[in-house]
Amino acid sequence: MYIDNNKYLKVKELEKFGVTAVYTRKSLGDIREKETQDRIIKILNTKGKIIYSGYQTHSDNIVVIDDCTPEYVENTDGFITNRRDVIIFTKYADCLPIFIYDTRKKVFGCVHSGWKGSYKKIGIKAIKTLQNRYSSDLSDIVVAFGIGITARNYEVGERFVKDFKDSFSPKELEGVFIEECGKYFFDNQKFNYNLMLKIGIKRENIVVNEYCTYEGDFHSYRREGESSGRNGAFIYIE
C-alpha cells in the first residue's frame, strides 16, 4: 500500500521498520534534473545522508555500496547496502522499481527492472546478493514493488512472448501474459512476483500496487516517447 502526498508516494509497509521508500510523481519534475533532486531531498529532510546512483543500462549489474564505492557508478541497475548514511536513488519511465529490505540484518536495496532486467532476473540476483554478502534469510526479506506500467498498457509482440516462454516455466509465467483480440500484454510486476515466490519470499512479505505510469501523474516513455522525463525511486533507513 502506498501513502500519496501529491509529490511522491511512500511504501507504508516499510515504515514500521524505519525504512523510507518513495516514488516521485511527474508534478515534482524530471528527477534527472538537479533542481528536482534537491526538491525531493528537501521534502524528505534527509540531511547528512549521501545519495548513490548510477548510469542505468537495463543490465543485471548490482553494486554493493561500501566505504569505497563512488557516489555515481557506471553501467549498473541496482544497489544494496547496510550503510545508514546512504540514500539509494534510481530512475524510471515505465520500468519497475523493486525495493528490498532485510528486517533482521537491516540491509536495503533497490533495482531497476524493465523487461530486460526482469528477463535477466535482476530482482532475484539482488536477493542472492543479500544472501551471499550478508547471510540474509529469505524469511526476513520484504520486497515492495514500485510503480511501473501495468499490463493493460504494455502491449508486446509474439517474439517477446516466445522468448519468455522459451526461458521460463509455466508457473513463473502464470498470469503474466494477457491475450486480447490477437494482442499480447505483459505484466512485469506479476512476473517478478512469481519469481519472488518461487525462490521462497513469503507471500505476505511482498508488497504490490495498482498504480500505472502510463495513466497517472508519472513520466511514461511509452506515452511520451523521447520527450519523457524520469520518475525517481529512493530508499533509505531513517
Side-chain angles (χ1 to χ4, degrees), residues 28 57 72 105 193 232:
L28 185 74
T57 59
Y72 187 85
K105 298 297 178 65
Y193 180 86

Side-chain angles (χ1 to χ4, degrees), residues 4-154:
D4 189 352
N5 77 347
N6 297 320
K7 294 297 184 183
Y8 65 87
L9 298 101
K10 182 186 294 187
V11 182
K12 182 178 181 181
E13 285 83 351
L14 290 176
E15 282 200 311
K16 63 184 178 182
F17 301 112
V19 176
T20 295
V22 303
Y23 188 84
T24 63
R25 284 189 171 278
K26 184 178 181 179
S27 54
L28 185 74
D30 185 343
I31 204 65
R32 292 174 298 183
E33 298 175 356
K34 182 65 163 55
E35 180 181 352
T36 306
Q37 294 174 30
D38 291 343
R39 190 177 301 125
I40 186 65
I41 293 305
K42 183 177 180 180
I43 292 172
L44 295 174
N45 191 24
T46 57
K47 291 181 180 180
K49 293 187 182 292
I50 306 166
I51 297 177
Y52 282 77
S53 63
Y55 184 74
Q56 298 169 192
T57 59
H58 298 278
S59 70
D60 61 348
N61 298 331
I62 296 171
V63 169
V64 176
I65 301 172
D66 56 26
D67 293 339
C68 299
T69 306
E71 294 173 24
Y72 187 85
V73 185
E74 295 290 342
N75 190 28
T76 187
D77 285 80
F79 294 94
I80 298 290
T81 192
N82 63 352
R83 285 178 51 182
R84 300 183 69 93
D85 64 334
V86 165
I87 300 173
I88 294 173
F89 162 44
T90 47
K91 302 171 286 292
Y92 304 84
D94 288 333
C95 295
L96 183 71
I98 303 177
F99 297 111
I100 301 166
Y101 182 61
D102 181 331
T103 60
R104 185 178 297 274
K105 298 297 178 65
K106 313 301 182 186
V107 180
F108 63 99
C110 185
V111 301
H112 164 256
S113 190
W115 76 262
K116 291 181 181 179
S118 296
Y119 186 85
K120 297 170 185 175
K121 299 195 288 189
I122 187 173
I124 302 306
K125 185 173 180 180
I127 299 297
K128 291 181 177 178
T129 300
L130 262 69
Q131 291 179 295
N132 294 334
R133 182 66 177 263
Y134 300 101
S135 300
S136 293
D137 191 297
L138 290 174
S139 63
D140 298 322
I141 295 175
V142 176
V143 174
F145 295 122
I147 300 165
I149 192 168
T150 55
R152 59 183 173 271
N153 294 304
Y154 200 174

Side-chain angles (χ1 to χ4, degrees), residues 177-195:
F177 288 106
I178 301 167
E179 184 178 1
E180 293 181 354
C181 302
K183 297 180 179 180
Y184 293 94
F185 299 85
F186 175 62
D187 191 331
N188 195 17
Q189 181 177 234
K190 177 64 174 175
F191 177 63
N192 280 281
Y193 180 86
N194 291 348
L195 293 182

Side-chain angles (χ1 to χ4, degrees), residues 199-214:
I199 67 167
I201 301 297
K202 294 179 179 179
R203 191 180 301 271
E204 60 268 28
N205 284 351
I206 304 176
V207 181
V208 298
N209 72 87
E210 297 298 326
Y211 289 94
C212 179
T213 48
Y214 188 90

Side-chain angles (χ1 to χ4, degrees), residues 157-189:
E158 292 184 9
R159 180 56 186 268
F160 183 105
V161 177
K162 183 179 186 304
D163 286 345
F164 271 79
K165 287 186 174 180
D166 287 346
S167 301
F168 299 96
S169 68
K171 188 68 174 176
E172 291 169 317
L173 296 178
E174 184 177 352
V176 170
F177 288 106
I178 301 167
E179 184 178 1
E180 293 181 354
C181 302
K183 297 180 179 180
Y184 293 94
F185 299 85
F186 175 62
D187 191 331
N188 195 17
Q189 181 177 234

